[in-house]
Amino acid sequence: MTILTRSLLALLLLASLPTQAQKKHTFVIKDGQFLYDGKPTQIHSGEMHYARVPQPYWRHRLKMMKALGLNTVATYVFWNYHNTAPGMWDFKTGNHNVAQFVKTAQEEGLFVILRPGPYACAEWEFGGYPWWLQKNKDLVIRANNQPFLDSCKVYINKLAGQVKGLQVSKGGPIIMTQVENEFGSYVDQRKDIPLEEHRKYNAAIKQQLTEAGFEGPFFTSDAAGLFEGGATPGALPTANGEGNVDALKTAVNQYHGGQGPYMVAEYYPGWLDHWGEPFVRVPTEQVTQQVETYLKNGINFNFYMVHGGTNFGFTSGANYSKEHDIQPDITSYDYDALISEPGWATPKYTAVRALMQKYVKYAVPAVPAQLPVVTIPDIILEKSVDVFDLKNDIQPVVSTRPLSFEELNQGSGYVLYSRRFGPAAQGQLAVPGLRDYATVYVNGQLVGELNRQDNRYTLPVQIPANGTLELLVENMGRINYGAEIVHNMKGIIEPVTLDGTAVAGDWQMYKMPFDKVPDLTRYISKNKEGRPALYTASFDVMQPGDTFLDMRDWGKGIVFVNGHNLGRYWKIGPQQTLYVPGCWLTKGKNEVVVFEQQNKKLQQALKTVDKPILDELLSAKPAKTATP
């Protein structure tokens, strides 16, 4: 036997042996402190959601957090991101690999705080709930309701199967697990439900987590004034957004045996943003002052967000207000965070890093180099397809009334509602059940827009004899926060009327989920102003890098690059660019498809810029500075 052969055999033998387990540790709450292996430990955390950052960039963003002076990363797990359809689960492909994210955080020397929900909020579609839960008429979300709890149990057990072996006691980095999320807010919003019923639900979620193998310590996360509804026995109450140290301690002491530890599980260095509203800025000085208050007083904290990332595809959620029936969130989740959407160190990052270096007792590594940014020569659009031509290859669903997305078994995207008239008809078209945005056509000609955000549900129409009325309806994201989360059907959910008379009979519905990039090769090139169009082109990239599509000349729609749905754009702003991660580009040939719903201007080219534009409203209102 040669030396080379013996060496190869030895290597094969080593490869067949089990890898040595990570060293096991302890993390407990005792005597008012967090103890890691028996030693008092402060949590300096930053929130980052693996679903909002391309998997190849996870490590870079985690290194950025470590270089900020943090020792922990907190992340939500979005149930609907992994449970993609009834009975279908994805914990392995791309961004879905939560276990790999946790392991990567450990490799970068970070603890992990897990926030599994099952409700997340987070400006995410439906707060993380799968849309199809609504199809079960006996199921009541976020309630002490057995069908809902049964569904939660399936999810929690599936997640536990992926990550329970990564808890600190098993040698992993997961030090704490959250029970539910901001439940005190929901209790306050749903006073129609007895407090005891709310508490039974909250306790049931904690029990499910425990039975699934999550060991804790457990914690809850609420505004300090809402602990009465949100706290649950056996979990540390933490106070979101609380800047007053005395108020924080008073609230925690009341619900935690008169002692800490004291933690702000969500400190907001930025804020969320809606379409049609000014981009929110939080001043750097305000952030550094608050962080220094926490550091001086030994307060544990988590930046929400330290790095927001992007609501790719149809993942962004929505709010609502007295003025707006819905407030859809923009695609960017930049959040005015310390680390920007493309992963850049902001002035806020630099200022906080200097502060952390002054106070923390561990070494703070150097800031990683910024990832490359490129601009691409104007992408000449090679082909445009009339979206109405797609109807030829879609079997319509026929009903006497418009059906909701849920009734059509579709979660996101678009549905074209079509109704042919015999005699001529005219009057005020009313679609009070619109969810959420529609372009309206008579015989293929654009006659107006309806928009739930502006509470605009009516417009006058004139339909000639044998004419066709069509509404191309978009789901702009399900509500993720507040009492209205239980009313989250999409499409057209009430009768359509014309001058007060219901338009019934022979509705045809063409499903256009755009859950994957459409294949346009079989369609001829055709384009007309006012009719929705799909534009496509190929383009060359000399050296891949991050870039930003400039959508200021466009109207409203979505963009696919190399099959990746980058998310929504909308001319009203404040967001005017779409982030294209360089890891999704290839050296050489690349493909882009743009779905443009308004199409009021025929497009010839797609442009890129080297910086995001996130604060440019169509109405040119001044940027908003907020104190969340």
Side-chain angles (χ1 to χ4, degrees):
M1 184 182 293
T2 66
I3 294 175
L4 178 60
T5 304
R6 284 197 298 269
S7 298
L8 288 171
L9 286 172
L11 287 171
L12 288 170
L13 178 62
L14 284 172
S16 68
L17 296 174
T19 57
Q20 185 177 359
Q22 292 281 342
K23 182 181 177 183
K24 298 177 182 179
H25 296 273
T26 61
F27 189 89
V28 298
I29 294 173
K30 187 178 180 182
D31 299 329
Q33 300 181 88
F34 292 121
L35 300 179
Y36 178 65
D37 287 346
K39 297 178 181 178
T41 300
Q42 291 293 116
I43 294 176
H44 302 137
S45 177
E47 187 103 3
M48 165 184 159
H49 304 144
Y50 58 91
R52 285 174 155 138
V53 180
Q55 185 273 336
Y57 286 175
W58 285 350
R59 190 176 299 276
H60 174 265
R61 305 304 198 257
L62 293 167
K63 285 181 180 291
M64 289 289 292
M65 293 175 59
K66 187 78 172 176
L68 182 60
L70 304 181
N71 62 6
T72 306
V73 57
T75 187
Y76 278 124
V77 180
F78 301 122
W79 177 359
N80 58 12
Y81 193 64
H82 296 285
N83 196 183
T84 53
M88 294 181 63
W89 296 84
D90 184 358
F91 286 103
K92 296 301 181 186
T93 66
N95 286 21
H96 296 85
N97 197 333
V98 57
Q100 187 58 52
F101 175 78
V102 172
K103 292 173 185 176
T104 305
Q106 184 174 29
E107 290 167 4
E108 295 304 324
L110 293 165
F111 293 131
V112 174
I113 293 174
L114 199 69
R115 311 182 74 186
Y119 166 73
C121 186
E123 291 71 63
W124 186 268
E125 153 78 17
F126 206 0
Y129 292 132
W131 63 268
W132 39 263
L133 291 179
Q134 299 175 107
K135 291 173 67 67
N136 182 347
K137 301 303 180 185
D138 296 324
L139 186 151
V140 183
I141 67 166
R142 220 176 178 192
N144 187 34
N145 164 267
Q146 199 58 49
F148 179 62
L149 289 173
D150 289 344
S151 296
C152 290
K153 186 173 183 178
V154 172
Y155 156 65
I156 287 171
N157 285 336
K158 288 284 188 181
L159 175 61
Q162 300 295 316
V163 299
K164 67 181 179 181
L166 297 172
Q167 295 176 100
V168 70
S169 66
K170 307 292 195 299
I174 298 174
I175 54 172
M176 292 203 299
T177 300
Q178 185 174 334
V179 179
E180 235 276 349
N181 181 55
E182 295 181 323
F183 192 60
S185 297
Y186 194 63
V187 171
D188 187 59
Q189 295 152 358
R190 294 298 307 275
K191 293 185 172 68
D192 56 309
I193 299 174
L195 179 58
E196 191 58 33
E197 281 298 297
H198 281 306
R199 286 177 170 164
K200 285 179 181 178
Y201 161 71
N202 212 8
I205 295 301
K206 181 178 180 296
Q207 182 178 350
Q208 288 186 0
L209 289 164
T210 302
E211 291 175 350
F214 290 101
E215 300 168 350
F218 294 104
F219 71 99
T220 58
S221 182
D222 291 287
L226 298 172
F227 283 5
E228 177 68 13
T232 195
L236 172 71
T238 67
N240 288 356
E242 184 55 70
N244 185 301
V245 171
D246 291 336
L248 169 67
K249 290 183 176 180
T250 298
V252 173
N253 287 346
Q254 183 179 351
Y255 293 88
H256 198 248
Q259 62 181 5
Y262 306 106
M263 182 168 180
V264 176
E266 291 188 4
Y267 166 61
Y268 308 111
W271 198 241
L272 59 94
D273 301 284
H274 301 132
W275 290 111
E277 299 177 16
F279 187 86
V280 181
R281 300 283 184 189
V282 176
T284 295
E285 184 178 352
Q286 177 180 317
V287 174
T288 54
Q289 287 177 353
Q290 186 61 62
V291 173
E292 187 160 29
T293 298
Y294 294 151
L295 291 168
K296 281 181 176 178
N297 290 276
I299 303 301
N300 304 274
F301 60 86
N302 173 50
F303 286 108
Y304 190 100
M305 302 288 298
V306 72
H307 173 55
T310 309
N311 295 314
F312 295 114
F314 299 119
T315 60
S316 59
N319 292 299
Y320 60 94
S321 68
K322 292 180 180 178
E323 295 78 25
H324 303 279
D325 290 346
I326 196 168
Q327 295 168 293
D329 296 309
I330 65 175
T331 297
S332 172
Y333 203 56
D334 179 271
Y335 212 87
D336 195 33
L338 285 73
I339 304 168
S340 71
E341 180 181 15
W344 304 346
T346 65
K348 200 179 292 183
Y349 177 100
T350 303
V352 170
R353 182 173 186 269
L355 192 62
M356 296 296 291
Q357 287 177 306
K358 178 181 173 182
Y359 282 92
V360 301
K361 296 178 181 179
Y362 45 79
V364 176
V367 180
Q370 182 176 306
L371 295 176
V373 177
V374 300
T375 56
I376 300 167
D378 288 1
I379 301 168
I380 305 304
L381 299 166
E382 300 160 350
K383 182 178 181 179
S384 54
V385 172
D386 190 319
V387 169
F388 288 152
D389 285 354
L390 271 60
K391 290 162 50 179
N392 297 328
D393 294 313
I394 301 172
Q395 182 65 39
V397 177
V398 181
S399 173
T400 58
R401 61 177 176 84
L403 302 178
S404 69
F405 275 38
E406 290 75 15
E407 290 172 310
L408 293 168
N409 205 34
Q410 178 176 324
S412 301
Y414 306 79
V415 170
L416 180 65
Y417 293 81
S418 181
R419 207 307 191 143
R420 184 175 172 274
F421 286 69
Q426 63 180 10
Q428 194 76 356
L429 179 72
V431 193
L434 174 68
R435 305 292 186 269
D436 298 302
Y437 174 88
T439 39
V440 183
Y441 310 87
V442 173
N443 286 349
Q445 181 175 349
L446 180 67
V447 295
E449 300 171 15
L450 300 176
N451 183 354
R452 187 182 176 198
Q453 182 194 39
D454 293 338
N455 311 333
R456 193 189 325 151
Y457 299 106
T458 64
L459 82 163
V461 295
Q462 290 187 336
I463 305 167
N466 299 315
T468 300
L469 171 71
E470 291 177 299
L471 298 92
L472 183 56
V473 175
E474 177 191 9
N475 163 13
M476 290 204 67
R478 289 179 178 81
I479 289 167
N480 58 260
Y481 178 81
E484 285 299 307
I485 196 170
V486 297
H487 302 130
N488 251 327
M489 308 288 270
K490 291 296 180 178
I492 298 178
I493 67 170
E494 297 177 26
V496 173
T497 64
L498 190 61
D499 271 357
T501 301
V503 179
D506 298 324
W507 280 95
Q508 293 187 319
M509 285 145 283
Y510 298 85
K511 298 164 62 174
M512 299 180 182
F514 290 147
D515 50 345
K516 57 185 177 182
V517 62
D519 181 3
L520 304 178
T521 53
R522 60 185 298 171
Y523 299 99
I524 63 170
S525 191
K526 188 196 300 182
N527 199 359
K528 184 178 180 181
E529 286 184 15
R531 289 169 68 99
L534 286 153
Y535 294 86
T536 183
S538 59
F539 60 97
D540 289 326
V541 173
M542 297 292 292
Q543 190 63 44
D546 290 353
T547 193
F548 306 88
L549 296 181
D550 184 350
M551 307 307 296
R552 284 176 290 186
D553 281 343
W554 295 70
K556 191 176 195 304
I558 57 175
V559 181
F560 293 89
V561 171
N562 291 337
H564 296 278
N565 187 337
L566 302 180
R568 302 178 178 93
Y569 65 89
W570 194 2
K571 191 176 182 67
I572 66 171
Q575 178 176 355
Q576 299 291 350
T577 54
L578 284 174
Y579 173 49
V580 184
C583 58
W584 289 352
L585 296 174
T586 60
K587 188 173 183 178
K589 187 177 180 182
N590 296 265
E591 303 288 340
V592 62
V593 174
V594 182
F595 167 62
E596 167 57 49
Q597 184 171 358
Q598 295 178 344
N599 207 30
K600 295 178 181 178
K601 173 185 175 183
L602 302 188
Q603 301 291 335
Q604 304 298 323
L606 190 58
K607 302 177 184 295
T608 64
V609 290
D610 61 2
K611 294 183 182 64
I613 303 171
L614 300 177
D615 53 4
E616 189 175 300
L617 276 175
L618 184 64
S619 56
K621 293 178 182 177
K624 180 180 177 183
T625 299
T627 305

